[in-house]
């Protein structure tokens, strides 16, 4: 994999992560602070670091995949979605729909470029299975899964289905393992209680990202 491509992707990811808190502010209830060194500025710097790592990882792992633009586009929206979900436990429909359009367009272009339109059926099947599975989880008694999580899972099912059935299964399982570890750590540290609502969106996104890296 070209080091230049990875470096360029890291730069793009840094810029996307830097912009994520500002873009996400539209959907959060917290007013923007304009003081230097404020939480907003710290969040932007943290987002830039996360974005650089996310984009560089995708470029290093999938640089020869024609679907890389779709993965990067989804990652850009994922950074904003994670910011919003962490701030106010929301996954806004406009952001989720825009992410879906970017992924569908990117995967369609990739399928045409390699002459394999059947890969789109696999992606669609991945989205449908993800949606159905998370709907069932959301309807379980006592479930705290929101339908924003269900919709995001369906969108993430598109690139996971593109990669195959094994990545799809891992991408569905891994977020819950990651979220479980985070919840246990927060409980042990006394930061949350058993009934404290916590966002699942970041775990869904992180699980999909790790799956794409290892597929």
């Amino acid at each position: 994999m070209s080091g230049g491509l990875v470096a360029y992707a890291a730069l793009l990811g840094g810029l996307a992560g830097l912009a994520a808190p500002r873009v996400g502010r539209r959907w959060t209830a917290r007013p923007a602070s304009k003081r230097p060194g404020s939480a907003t500025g710290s969040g932007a710097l943290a987002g830039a670091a996360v974005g650089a790592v996310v984009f560089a990882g995708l470029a290093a792992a999938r640089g020869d995949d024609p679907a890389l633009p779709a993965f990067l586009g989804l990652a850009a929206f994922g950074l904003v979605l994670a910011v919003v979900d962490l701030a106010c436990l929301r996954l806004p429909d406009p952001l989720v729909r825009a992410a879906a359009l970017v992924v569908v367009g990117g995967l369609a272009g990739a399928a045409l470029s390699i002459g394999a339109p059947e890969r789109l059926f696999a992606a669609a099947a991945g989205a449908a299975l993800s949606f159905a599975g998370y709907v069932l989880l959301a309807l379980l008694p006592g479930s705290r899964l929101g339908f924003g999580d269900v919709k995001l899972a369906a969108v993430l099912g598109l690139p996971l289905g593109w990669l195959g059935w094994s990545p799809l299964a891992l991408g569905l399982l891994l977020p819950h393992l990651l979220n479980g570890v985070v919840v246990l750590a927060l409980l042990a540290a006394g930061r949350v209680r058993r009934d404290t609502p916590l966002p699942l969106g970041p775990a869904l996104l992180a699980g999909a990202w790790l799956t794409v890296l290892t597929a």
Side-chain angles (χ1 to χ4, degrees), residues 79-111:
L79 291 170
V80 181
L81 286 164
V83 166
V84 175
D85 204 16
L86 287 169
C88 57
L89 300 177
R90 291 182 61 202
L91 291 168
D93 283 347
L95 284 175
V96 176
R97 284 196 297 267
L101 290 174
V102 167
V103 175
V104 169
L107 293 182

Side-chain angles (χ1 to χ4, degrees), residues 19 31 39 49 90-91 101 136 148 160 167 193 195-196:
R90 291 182 61 202
L91 291 168
L101 290 174
L136 292 176
L160 294 175
R193 300 182 304 180
D195 59 347
T196 301

Side-chain angles (χ1 to χ4, degrees), residues 116-195:
E118 68 277 2
R119 297 284 294 273
L120 291 177
F121 291 104
L129 288 173
S130 296
F131 180 78
Y134 274 82
V135 165
L136 292 176
L137 289 176
L139 294 177
L140 288 175
S143 174
R144 297 181 184 177
L145 198 69
F147 273 86
D149 300 314
V150 173
K151 296 170 189 175
L152 178 58
V155 174
L156 295 174
L158 289 165
L160 294 175
W162 170 275
L163 294 174
W165 297 117
S166 294
L168 177 63
L170 179 61
L172 293 177
L173 174 64
L174 196 53
H176 299 282
L177 297 178
L178 295 173
N179 195 57
V181 170
V182 171
V183 170
L184 289 175
L186 291 174
L187 285 171
R191 300 289 300 275
V192 300
R193 300 182 304 180
R194 293 179 63 88
D195 59 347

